[in-house]
Amino acid sequence: VSAAQGGGSHAAMSPEQYWRSILPDTPMPISISNLLGNGYPYSLAVGLPKRGDDDQIRYGPENYGLAASQQFFKDPSMGLFFLETDLQSSKSIKLHFANMMAGSGIKFLPRGEADTVPFSSKDLQEILARFGVRPGYVDASVAKNTLLECELPANKGEKKACATSLESMVDFAASSLGTRDIKAASTFLVGKDGDTPAQEYTVTGARRMAETGQLIACHPESYPYAVFMCHLTEATRAYKASLVGKDGAAVEAVAVCHTDTAEWNPKHAAFQVLGVKPGTVPVCHFVQPDVVVWTRRG
């Protein structure tokens, strides 16, 4: 994502100032604010954050069918997918919330700096050298895969881009949804900054985030600095749900329901878990704490 909307007086703004200038009425999710600040974005000792199978949900049947299937076969009891009716109060679902970015040390680069760094698989060696990632090591392979994923064309009916700065994520969300009157939400683990154990969570309440069928989901990628893959999808509904874990942990979670699954692979794990057929009922899932979901207001 380029700085197409961020020139002029915006050039000298910090990411926080840019957010406030474009979205003055939109609180910044903790998942984003935790990625701001000074410091070298990549540490060889820590390595790049790695996402587990249960965290690799992508919007669209082609993107997350495999990872979901792997997790399903590991633990069929996990509530990776559920029905929209399951958001009713007192429904219990087994879940595992994990934030791959927490503790990684990975930060956003200011857009002025991010725009000077090559972001293409053809420039991989220059990128690795710039951030001290050793060629031939697993981190180099992970960074390459992220670049290749970002270069893939969008699926049918989808708009996508990799945001290499917070500013470019804001621009993509505002331009794709056609307004600055938008809101951003992430799953929030109350009183925790990391993971929670896999356990039963009870839904104590849920509310719709917006009445439109469009949303944008931005997923963090494994890279030497913060990069998010953002997708605009149709035929979706987003909810905020209050959950309480068996151990008393409180979670304010974001759930996404896909209302049109007619073109999904009939062997998709969601249908195995739920016992339904493509195109019959909405298929829902919660998002991890490091994912940002954008919707219009109202």
Side-chain angles (χ1 to χ4, degrees):
V1 179
S2 70
Q5 297 185 0
S9 61
H10 289 149
M13 289 185 179
S14 69
E16 299 97 321
Q17 291 169 331
Y18 188 79
W19 179 288
R20 290 195 295 269
S21 73
I22 302 297
L23 307 172
D25 300 320
T26 301
M28 184 183 294
I30 292 178
S31 59
I32 293 297
S33 60
N34 284 346
L35 301 180
L36 300 176
N38 299 322
Y40 195 71
Y42 168 77
S43 166
L44 188 63
V46 176
L48 295 180
K50 306 298 190 295
R51 187 173 288 282
D53 286 340
D54 60 328
D55 302 330
Q56 293 186 29
I57 302 177
R58 294 292 192 267
Y59 296 126
E62 297 177 5
N63 280 337
Y64 67 85
L66 177 60
S69 297
Q70 291 171 340
Q71 174 62 15
F72 168 66
F73 290 121
K74 283 182 179 179
D75 186 356
S77 69
M78 287 293 290
L80 195 60
F81 299 99
F82 56 90
L83 298 176
E84 198 168 18
T85 53
D86 291 339
L87 288 173
Q88 300 171 9
S89 295
S90 301
K91 174 69 179 182
S92 292
I93 306 173
K94 187 177 180 182
L95 299 164
H96 176 225
F97 292 107
N99 187 338
M100 83 167 191
M101 301 298 283
S104 69
I106 300 297
K107 301 288 186 181
F108 275 114
L109 295 180
R111 180 162 58 186
E113 183 177 351
D115 288 349
T116 67
V117 179
F119 192 78
S120 169
S121 57
K122 67 180 178 61
D123 297 315
L124 178 63
Q125 297 309 313
E126 179 183 348
I127 295 168
L128 298 181
R130 182 160 185 159
F131 292 101
V133 182
R134 295 177 181 174
Y137 282 69
V138 63
D139 283 353
S141 177
V142 170
K144 177 182 178 180
N145 289 340
T146 290
L147 291 169
L148 292 174
E149 184 178 1
C150 286
E151 291 168 355
L152 289 174
N155 293 325
K156 182 181 178 181
E158 175 193 56
K159 184 176 181 180
K160 59 167 276 194
C162 276
T164 59
S165 66
L166 175 58
E167 296 93 325
S168 59
M169 185 197 297
V170 170
D171 286 351
F172 179 83
S175 63
S176 298
L177 292 174
T179 177
R180 293 184 179 183
D181 192 19
I182 56 180
K183 53 187 176 182
S186 293
T187 293
F188 175 57
L189 311 180
V190 180
K192 293 192 176 183
D193 184 22
D195 298 358
T196 62
Q199 62 176 321
E200 291 283 342
Y201 285 87
T202 300
V203 180
T204 60
R207 54 203 179 279
R208 184 91 173 266
M209 283 179 58
E211 295 302 319
T212 65
Q214 286 186 324
L215 63 79
I216 292 170
C218 293
H219 304 261
E221 299 292 329
S222 292
Y223 207 66
Y225 55 92
V227 170
F228 280 73
M229 171 78 76
C230 296
H231 305 257
L232 171 71
T233 58
E234 308 282 347
T236 50
R237 287 193 281 266
Y239 292 86
K240 284 187 177 181
S242 298
L243 310 176
V244 177
K246 190 174 182 180
D247 66 355
V251 179
E252 292 297 317
V254 176
V256 172
C257 296
H258 302 267
T259 60
D260 183 4
T261 61
E263 299 300 319
W264 288 25
N265 188 326
K267 295 182 179 180
H268 192 288
F271 305 128
Q272 299 180 57
V273 172
L274 300 175
V276 299
K277 295 181 179 180
T280 56
V281 295
V283 170
C284 305
H285 58 84
F286 288 105
V287 301
Q288 293 295 340
D290 48 18
V291 175
V292 184
V293 174
W294 299 82
T295 60
R296 297 184 183 91
R297 291 187 184 275

